[in-house]
Amino acid sequence: MIMDVCRPRDFLDRTMDRYVRLFPCLSDPARRSSSGLKVALVMLHLVYVGLLFAFDRHLIEEAETKPWYTASYLLLVVATLIQYFLTSCSSPGYVLDAMRASNEKDIAFRKASKQPASSKNVDVVVTIDRNQVGKNVQGDLTSWTKMVMDMYPPGTSPRNFTCSYCHVEQPPRTKHCHDCDRCVLQFDHHCVWLGTCIGQGNHCRFWWYIFEETTLCLWTGILFISYLKADIVRAWWNAAIVIMLLITLSIALIFLLLLLLFHSYLVLTNQTTYELVRRRRIFYLRGIPERVFPFSKGVCHNLYDFCCHRSVYQLEPLPSVQELEERSRPYTCSDLLRCRCC
């Protein structure tokens, strides 16, 4: 009896070992889970679109008379999936990468200016376990530490902004992600469906993916409703399947709409989900009133920095006391005429 129970388990273990040998990237359980979610999401899109065209013969006939309509819908499906993979494969902006880029820029500047390094600066190699962070960082850490310290108010202890896991100095708006095991610039959240963090480097792509996914869900729902309202003869189980798909699609659409509106609000006010939810736990945001957005530069400037800024490693210092007082001042009619909110 025990042998019969162990045989299926041994068979599964052998099968898994074969897949790991064929695909070494699947040896990591986190990667297997992330890859499984990606495959499930792609299959979910294909099921919805495939059943729509399989049931609605009128849609196929309409493709001959209005090819642009069907082509636009299929193009949106492909663009949404492409945007999904681009976002999931993009870097959110890791602190170690920003540190490495800053050190390389500092070394290049010294070579160009032909100025020898100061004796106070120590050229060291920081070796970090790959399971914790990933790569070795070589360079002058003093320049990075000084740059980060200049972003905080004078007298701030380095222990307040030093990561206890990576042991690196974190610029403002940075948080260590325990799923990725790295510090992320302008950390927003860790997205399970994408299998990566959302931060400064990919927040814009994430917003566009939500927008495309919301539009696709809305368009697909309209096509399903048009199929149910059409005066055609259909089997009862066809209508039952379409109604079940429409119910799940409506739930997903409500969630996506709320998520899109929420992240649009974050973009307009230059906030992140982590800063909004954990504001009282962030030491440099505790004394700031809830209605004051310390990093907001106005709606237009926030949109420009979010959509058009090409630099991945854009480090924002903490605002001064005068800037916080200006942003906490209530709006007046003259402020509206001068477009202070922009």
Side-chain angles (χ1 to χ4, degrees), residues 38-48:
K38 289 182 174 63
V39 173
L41 193 69
V42 173
M43 293 301 298
L44 196 63
H45 284 75
L46 295 179
V47 166
Y48 271 86

Side-chain angles (χ1 to χ4, degrees), residues 233-275:
V233 179
R234 67 175 71 89
W236 67 268
W237 55 270
N238 283 11
I241 293 176
V242 171
I243 291 173
M244 290 177 59
L245 293 176
L246 193 58
I247 291 173
T248 56
L249 195 65
S250 301
I251 297 173
L253 180 60
I254 294 173
F255 171 76
L256 286 170
L257 276 173
L258 294 175
L259 189 63
L260 181 64
L261 292 174
F262 175 69
H263 277 274
S264 299
Y265 166 74
L266 294 179
V267 171
L268 294 177
T269 56
N270 195 11
Q271 297 185 92
T272 63
T273 303
Y274 174 70
E275 292 171 348

Side-chain angles (χ1 to χ4, degrees), residues 14-189:
R14 288 196 300 269
T15 305
M16 183 59 67
D17 291 339
R18 291 177 183 176
Y19 278 110
V20 168
R21 284 196 296 268
L22 291 175
F23 306 100
C25 60
L26 297 180
S27 59
D28 186 9
R31 284 192 175 184
R32 283 203 303 269
S33 177
S34 177
S35 301
L37 284 174
K38 289 182 174 63
V39 173
L41 193 69
V42 173
M43 293 301 298
L44 196 63
H45 284 75
L46 295 179
V47 166
Y48 271 86
V49 176
L51 290 178
L52 176 64
F53 280 91
F55 290 162
D56 195 354
R57 300 295 179 182
H58 178 70
L59 186 62
I60 300 177
E61 294 174 358
E62 195 177 33
E64 299 177 359
T65 58
K66 298 179 181 178
W68 58 269
Y69 184 81
T70 307
S72 300
Y73 176 74
L74 295 177
L75 184 63
L76 179 61
V77 175
V78 175
T80 303
L81 292 176
I82 292 176
Q83 187 68 30
Y84 169 77
F85 283 104
L86 286 177
T87 308
S88 63
C89 296
S90 60
S91 171
Y94 296 112
V95 171
L96 283 180
D97 295 336
M99 182 191 299
R100 188 178 297 108
S102 175
N103 291 331
E104 291 176 355
K105 185 177 180 180
D106 185 61
I107 292 173
F109 176 77
R110 288 179 180 177
K111 289 182 179 179
S113 59
K114 296 182 180 180
Q115 292 181 356
S118 174
S119 59
K120 295 182 181 180
N121 296 337
V122 183
D123 194 21
V124 297
V125 178
V126 180
T127 305
I128 303 172
D129 187 8
R130 187 170 181 83
N131 293 327
Q132 294 180 353
V133 179
K135 294 183 179 180
N136 295 339
V137 180
Q138 181 176 2
D140 185 4
L141 292 187
T142 307
S143 60
W144 172 261
T145 304
K146 184 178 182 303
M147 182 175 64
V148 173
M149 290 186 66
D150 290 341
M151 297 179 183
Y152 291 93
T156 304
S157 174
R159 297 179 62 181
N160 291 334
F161 53 83
T162 301
C163 179
S164 58
Y165 300 95
C166 301
H167 304 290
V168 296
E169 292 78 10
Q170 296 176 332
R173 315 189 72 182
T174 303
K175 182 186 177 298
H176 183 86
C177 176
H178 296 281
D179 295 293
C180 298
D181 213 2
R182 294 184 181 185
C183 291
V184 180
L185 298 171
Q186 288 189 21
F187 176 83
D188 188 88
H189 69 285

Side-chain angles (χ1 to χ4, degrees), residues 249-314:
L249 195 65
S250 301
I251 297 173
L253 180 60
I254 294 173
F255 171 76
L256 286 170
L257 276 173
L258 294 175
L259 189 63
L260 181 64
L261 292 174
F262 175 69
H263 277 274
S264 299
Y265 166 74
L266 294 179
V267 171
L268 294 177
T269 56
N270 195 11
Q271 297 185 92
T272 63
T273 303
Y274 174 70
E275 292 171 348
L276 186 65
V277 175
R278 302 289 185 179
R279 185 161 184 157
R280 295 183 179 179
R281 296 183 58 181
I282 303 174
F283 75 94
Y284 53 83
L285 296 180
R286 290 171 187 164
I288 302 176
E290 295 287 339
R291 59 184 180 86
V292 177
F293 311 121
F295 299 103
S296 178
K297 306 172 187 175
V299 175
C300 296
H301 287 84
N302 293 339
L303 283 174
Y304 176 79
D305 290 342
F306 183 78
C307 300
C308 304
H309 206 282
R310 300 299 180 184
S311 176
V312 179
Y313 310 119
Q314 182 186 5

